[in-house]
């Protein structure tokens, strides 16, 4: 158990819909990262938050957004979903930036 | 842009064979290097990391990696694999600094035959 909790584990929805993925970091970790894992693109960094503020942005689409709340949990919002958004979405956390990250079990998103 | 290359897509070994998985990174500045393992149906777990110091890094489960700056490489090794090492292995790097987001290679799937 990594200590990083992601919900839900599985999500099935249709094109055009909006979903919210949730992540609770390990106790004491201030930094939260979101990654997307797909067969064709591999593991790609989406966005990082540190203590409530956006710290770095990767290959995140404009249809996607995220935030980190005062209790340090984070949510990734995906809207106007397309078939290509089907993937495994991982959250990771670390005490600060640039320290080893611990990953959650991921949320498997399937778009029908 | 920084990138990571893993040369082997799928490696098949028999138990007790030695393992070496290749990893090359592109960034010429200060980098941090990692190997993660993903067992079937599980989350990514950190095997080992290199930030600075001794270029030969020992990790969990008998794995080690060697940082060779001149070759931009960080290959993963294990002298004798077990069936339980069957998993996907990811090499990753991050820039020095406060951001810390990881850039992953495509992964190498390791299958160990009993």
């Amino acid at each position: 158990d990594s200590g990083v909790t992601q919900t839900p584990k599985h999500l099935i929805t249709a094109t055009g819909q909006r979903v919210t993925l949730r992540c609770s970091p390990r106790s004491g970790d201030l930094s939260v990262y979101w990654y997307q894992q797909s067969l064709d693109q591999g593991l790609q960094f989406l966005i990082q938050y540190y203590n409530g503020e956006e710290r770095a942005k990767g290959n995140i689409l404009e249809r996607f957004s995220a935030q980190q709340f005062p209790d340090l949990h984070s949510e990734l919002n995906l809207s106007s979903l397309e078939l290509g958004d089907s993937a495994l979405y991982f959250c990771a956390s670390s005490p600060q930036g640039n320290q080893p990250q611990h990953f959650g079990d991921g949320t498997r998103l399937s778009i029908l | 842009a920084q990138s990571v290359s893993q040369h082997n897509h799928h490696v098949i070994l028999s138990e007790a064979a030695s393992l070496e998985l290749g990893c090359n990174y592109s960034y010429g500045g200060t980098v941090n290097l990692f190997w993660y393992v993903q067992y079937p149906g599980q989350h990514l777990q950190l095997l080992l990391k290199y930030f600075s110091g001794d270029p030969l890094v020992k990790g969990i489960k008998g794995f080690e990696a060697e940082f060779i700056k001149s070759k931009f490489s960080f290959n993963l090794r294990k002298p004798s694999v077990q069936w339980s090492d069957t998993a996907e292995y990811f090499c990753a790097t991050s820039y020095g600094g406060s951001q810390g987001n990881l850039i992953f290679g495509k992964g190498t799937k390791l299958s160990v035959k009993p």
Side-chain angles (χ1 to χ4, degrees), chain A residues 7-34:
Chain A
T7 57
K9 290 192 185 305
H10 302 278
L11 202 48
I12 302 173
T13 188
T15 55
Q17 295 299 304
R18 174 190 169 94
V19 297
T20 297
L21 312 183
R22 183 187 168 103
C23 170
S24 294
R26 289 190 320 162
S27 177
D29 285 357
L30 299 178
S31 214
V32 169
Y33 306 79
W34 287 97

Side-chain angles (χ1 to χ4, degrees), chain A residues 1-2 31 33 35 37 39-45 48 55-57 88 90 96-106, chain B residues 31-32 34 36 38 41-46 49 51 88 90 93-107:
Chain A
D1 182 13
S2 68
S31 214
Y33 306 79
Y35 295 87
Q37 186 179 32
L39 282 174
D40 53 342
Q41 297 291 328
L43 264 163
Q44 292 214 320
F45 166 68
Q48 176 199 1
R55 179 62 63 90
K57 235 175 182 177
L88 196 52
F90 284 108
Q96 300 179 35
N98 218 15
Q99 292 179 317
Q101 297 170 27
H102 296 265
F103 283 76
D105 288 341
Chain B
V31 291
N32 301 317
F34 308 84
Y36 281 85
Q38 187 176 29
Q42 294 189 26
H43 59 265
L44 286 150
Q45 297 177 39
L46 181 66
K49 62 185 185 292
F51 278 29
E88 190 154 17
F90 293 91
T93 184
S94 68
Y95 293 103
S98 63
Q99 290 185 346
N101 52 281
L102 294 170
I103 298 161
F104 285 91
K106 293 284 191 187

Side-chain angles (χ1 to χ4, degrees), chain A residues 71-83:
Chain A
D71 67 352
L72 301 178
H73 90 271
S74 178
E75 292 180 356
L76 178 67
N77 301 296
L78 315 176
S79 61
S80 303
L81 287 168
E82 302 174 0
L83 292 176

Side-chain angles (χ1 to χ4, degrees), chain A residues 43-55:
Chain A
L43 264 163
Q44 292 214 320
F45 166 68
L46 294 177
I47 197 163
Q48 176 199 1
Y49 279 82
Y50 177 77
N51 204 21
E53 293 189 2
E54 184 183 303
R55 179 62 63 90

